[in-house]
Amino acid sequence: MPPKKRVSKKKHAVKKKITKGGQAMASNPQRFTFPKGFAWGCATASYQIEGAWDEDGKGPSIWDTFAHILGNVVDGDNGDIVCDHYHRMEEDVKLMADLGMKNYRFSLSWPRMFPTGDVKNVNMKGVDFYDRLINELLKNGIEPLATLYHWDLPQALQDKYGGMLSKEFVKDFTAYSEKCFELFGDRVKQWITFNEPSCICVLGFGLGMHAPGRANNPGTEVYLSSHHLLLAHAYSVECYRKKFQKKQKGVIGITLNAEWWEPVSSHADDINASNRAMNFTLDFYAEPIWGGQGEYPKTMRDAAGSRLPAFSEKEKKLINGSSDFFGLNHYSTRAAGRPSATTALQCLPREIKSLWSGMGSAGKFFSAIKPMVNPFAASYFKDMDISPYPDPAGTEYTTMRWAIAPRGFRSLLNYIHNKYHPKGGIIITENGLASQEDTKEAMEADKDSIRIPFFKAYLREMHNAIAVDGCDVRGYYAWSFMDNFEWSFGNSKRFGLVRVDYDTLERTPKPVAHWYKGVMDNNTLLV
Ligand code: PNW
């Protein structure tokens, strides 16, 4: 059979399975109701939607710089305009309200408000934008959740001292966050310090796939940037708790990203490898905060030695317990196995293929692959010491090539609940998928045949985790409100509940948006 036909047959088969399942249950749908007060909503991030990258006094961010270098982003896309949310904010909030959003997670752009990163130099037009956004949300009955840092560091601080590689970053981030609490804390009652430390540090300082695009010292810089990030988080939380929390009555936490890692076989070495994968991705940041000791995981300290900085006794006390809830971004499940020459040879082609699809150019690709394959240089990847495999159940993949594996979501929630018992519960601050929609017509005709079943299946597993397993999950934010700039993949991956036409900037709700409204309105999933 020619390959083209094979692909379409496969796609068809998936659709059939899903439709059949949907129809079989449609006549007698099962209802899964979530706990009272469960927070439903959607999320975005400043650089991914705002555009207006150099307007009204905004300073450049490391993502402006990174995306402007040809070869860093697929198709040379960037965030200069993207969704133009900066100029269409009122219209977007209105659409959110129409689509039944009750909560909205957005991020504040540090360089829009403080162009040089220094809080002494404030750009009032930038502050005014977020003031208006927050007021508009509240006017429309939507509760704001603000992320202080979703990757757009002021370029000035990268130039001044290397950004997160310097301890100076800790002081500057804390000062910036304090200003935000002062400016918006009368209305914003939920704060997130950092979005996804692992993506920031591993992709930005290990693989060079994200700004600031460094991949030369993955054996030290991943650890150093992570260390400063965690300290900045801890000091910022201390500041909020000491100076604002009592009066403003809000909560503050951090969002970690994690895939669920399963062992590729029941062999003890493979089980150890999957545990190490969890340690190096999720626990790296979770253990210092929720592990009770303010320390990095032992496996990591053993593997990295002095390349992983240690917290002082004072810092341990500060970081331990420094989050009022556990923010979690989850997308997919993978498998880990013991490393060996044979498995490396088996696994590398797939890793290379998926890395390649996210790279703007061959040069970029080769610098990113180096830290993963160079057997001589110290690296975070070598310290982790696993062979990664695709999801063992071999299910379908999204257009990000991420496996659709809802059962992993339930396992991950259990892992976090049982290991950390986070006070304030777990809030899913992102979950969602990119699926292929080349035109508006194709998108409408397809009726979200991949997206709706994806959300149904993931929400069903979240419900299982809550109702059957007793996990304390308090909220869920779909990623994302609208199609946006997907980092090194540019505009090519569409994660939105709302479609954005990048030529006309027209917004069109996808079928999934109407379906999701039903879930939010009734606090109930019908399957
Ligand atoms: C998150 N991974 O990033 C970010 O918070 C969002 O800004 C982003 O648009 C969204 O997920 C979708 O990618 C991730 O490699 C980037 O597993 C990479 C991974 C996970 C999350």
Side-chain angles (χ1 to χ4, degrees):
M1 211 183 276
K4 218 174 165 189
K5 259 205 167 149
R6 248 188 16 229
V7 171
S8 70
K9 191 171 165 219
K10 201 172 156 213
K11 263 197 179 157
H12 184 63
V14 177
K15 270 189 197 165
K16 238 171 79 187
K17 204 172 88 198
I18 289 161
T19 323
K20 215 171 119 201
Q23 275 170 359
M25 285 175 275
S27 53
N28 185 18
Q30 284 181 280
R31 300 168 61 84
F32 300 97
T33 297
F34 288 84
K36 208 167 157 256
F38 193 84
W40 292 102
C42 65
T44 63
S46 48
Y47 186 72
Q48 295 183 272
I49 63 166
E50 285 178 3
W53 77 282
D54 65 348
E55 278 181 55
D56 289 347
K58 177 182 168 294
S61 79
I62 55 171
W63 263 97
D64 290 312
T65 308
F66 184 78
H68 286 158
I69 297 170
L70 217 60
N72 279 348
V73 177
V74 171
D75 295 336
D77 287 339
N78 56 51
D80 291 4
I81 301 172
V82 236
C83 308
D84 196 33
H85 172 70
Y86 185 75
H87 295 118
R88 290 156 199 262
M89 180 272 287
E90 280 85 359
E91 174 198 331
D92 287 337
V93 173
K94 167 90 174 46
L95 183 55
M96 262 176 232
D98 290 346
L99 293 173
M101 292 306 155
K102 314 277 186 279
N103 296 274
Y104 175 52
R105 171 178 179 239
F106 63 96
S107 80
L108 298 163
S109 163
W110 184 350
R112 192 178 289 292
M113 295 188 282
F114 306 100
T116 60
D118 182 344
V119 293
K120 288 199 279 300
N121 172 15
V122 54
N123 173 33
M124 281 318 291
K125 283 192 173 163
V127 171
D128 179 60
F129 171 70
Y130 294 111
D131 250 330
R132 286 188 292 115
L133 167 64
I134 293 162
N135 292 343
E136 200 65 22
L137 289 168
L138 292 171
K139 204 172 85 193
N140 281 278
I142 302 172
E143 192 62 35
L145 191 175
T147 304
L148 289 159
Y149 187 94
H150 200 126
W151 307 359
D152 43 359
L153 179 76
Q155 178 64 40
L157 299 184
Q158 189 66 38
D159 297 340
K160 194 171 160 195
Y161 50 66
M164 286 189 190
L165 291 177
S166 164
K167 205 162 182 176
E168 299 248 325
F169 171 77
V170 178
K171 161 177 83 37
D172 280 337
F173 178 79
T174 310
Y176 156 66
S177 69
E178 177 166 2
K179 276 286 166 214
C180 295
F181 304 143
E182 253 170 51
L183 288 164
F184 310 120
D186 57 333
R187 287 151 294 156
V188 172
K189 302 299 169 194
Q190 297 187 90
W191 295 97
I192 284 169
T193 52
F194 287 91
N195 178 68
E196 302 192 343
S198 163
C199 280
I200 295 171
C201 302
V202 177
L203 302 177
F205 295 90
L207 294 175
M209 269 179 82
H210 280 186
R214 298 180 63 86
N216 286 337
N217 306 300
T220 50
E221 292 190 2
V222 171
Y223 299 125
L224 203 57
S225 54
S226 297
H227 193 68
H228 294 146
L229 181 156
L230 282 171
L231 286 172
H233 156 80
Y235 278 104
S236 162
V237 170
E238 185 198 39
C239 166
Y240 185 71
R241 286 179 176 169
K242 276 198 172 150
K243 297 195 190 170
F244 300 92
Q245 196 160 37
K246 216 165 141 210
K247 185 153 167 261
Q248 296 184 346
K249 300 189 176 57
V251 288
I252 186 163
I254 191 168
T255 275
L256 308 185
N257 61 295
E259 295 171 306
W260 173 245
W261 286 88
E262 291 180 348
V264 76
S265 86
S266 56
H267 191 288
D269 292 348
D270 292 333
I271 294 174
N272 283 338
S274 71
N275 288 334
R276 275 203 307 281
M278 289 307 292
N279 292 160
F280 272 76
T281 53
L282 178 71
D283 301 324
F284 184 3
Y285 306 96
E287 264 197 47
I289 299 175
W290 290 279
Q293 309 294 326
E295 288 225 65
Y296 291 115
K298 185 165 182 326
T299 39
M300 292 192 70
R301 286 183 278 136
D302 289 349
S306 62
R307 286 181 287 108
L308 178 64
F311 293 113
S312 70
E313 288 309 312
K314 181 179 166 235
E315 290 167 347
K316 283 184 193 170
K317 286 208 183 80
L318 198 69
I319 191 138
N320 182 27
S322 62
S323 200
D324 294 332
F325 56 86
F326 195 120
L328 175 70
N329 292 353
H330 174 70
Y331 287 92
S332 188
T333 287
R334 302 190 66 184
R338 67 200 115 150
S340 73
T342 347
T343 51
L345 283 177
Q346 279 167 7
C347 302
L348 213 56
R350 185 186 176 275
E351 288 303 297
I352 288 180
K353 220 164 98 190
S354 87
L355 251 185
W356 181 262
S357 70
M359 290 296 175
S361 72
K364 201 71 212 151
F365 168 76
F366 285 114
S367 69
I369 201 77
K370 219 170 52 192
M372 299 179 83
V373 296
N374 181 350
F376 303 110
S379 96
Y380 160 87
F381 306 98
K382 223 171 105 186
D383 294 337
M384 181 162 22
D385 199 27
I386 64 151
S387 285
Y389 294 79
D391 171 48
T395 46
E396 282 303 303
Y397 291 83
T398 69
T399 55
M400 294 295 283
R401 293 174 197 266
W402 294 347
I404 300 177
R407 74 183 188 292
F409 189 20
R410 180 175 179 177
S411 304
L412 178 64
L413 290 170
N414 275 275
Y415 181 88
I416 294 170
H417 180 78
N418 295 327
K419 185 163 182 176
Y420 297 117
H421 289 287
K423 200 170 58 133
I426 303 169
I427 300 175
I428 309 305
T429 43
E430 286 180 28
N431 171 238
L433 75 157
S435 103
Q436 199 64 50
E437 299 123 358
D438 294 328
T439 62
K440 182 177 158 188
E441 291 68 33
M443 179 274 288
E444 278 165 351
D446 177 65
K447 299 193 173 43
D448 269 333
S449 68
I450 306 289
R451 201 172 255 112
I452 293 176
F454 175 100
F455 278 108
K456 273 190 183 171
Y458 272 76
L459 292 183
R460 175 82 184 84
E461 291 298 347
M462 181 171 78
H463 191 274
N464 272 330
I466 299 171
V468 180
D469 310 333
C471 297
D472 183 6
V473 186
R474 311 242 181 126
Y476 179 95
Y477 293 72
W479 183 267
S480 172
F481 171 60
M482 58 184 155
D483 292 339
N484 56 52
F485 177 81
E486 179 52 28
W487 309 111
S488 48
F489 295 89
N491 297 356
S492 67
K493 308 289 178 193
R494 294 180 173 273
F495 274 91
L497 300 172
V498 171
R499 181 184 165 83
V500 175
D501 181 317
Y502 292 112
D503 296 322
T504 63
L505 295 171
E506 181 194 16
R507 276 83 161 131
T508 313
K510 300 179 190 178
V512 70
H514 302 294
W515 171 83
Y516 188 46
K517 181 175 189 301
V519 175
M520 294 188 288
D521 282 351
N522 301 306
N523 196 28
T524 298
L525 169 72
L526 296 185
V527 182

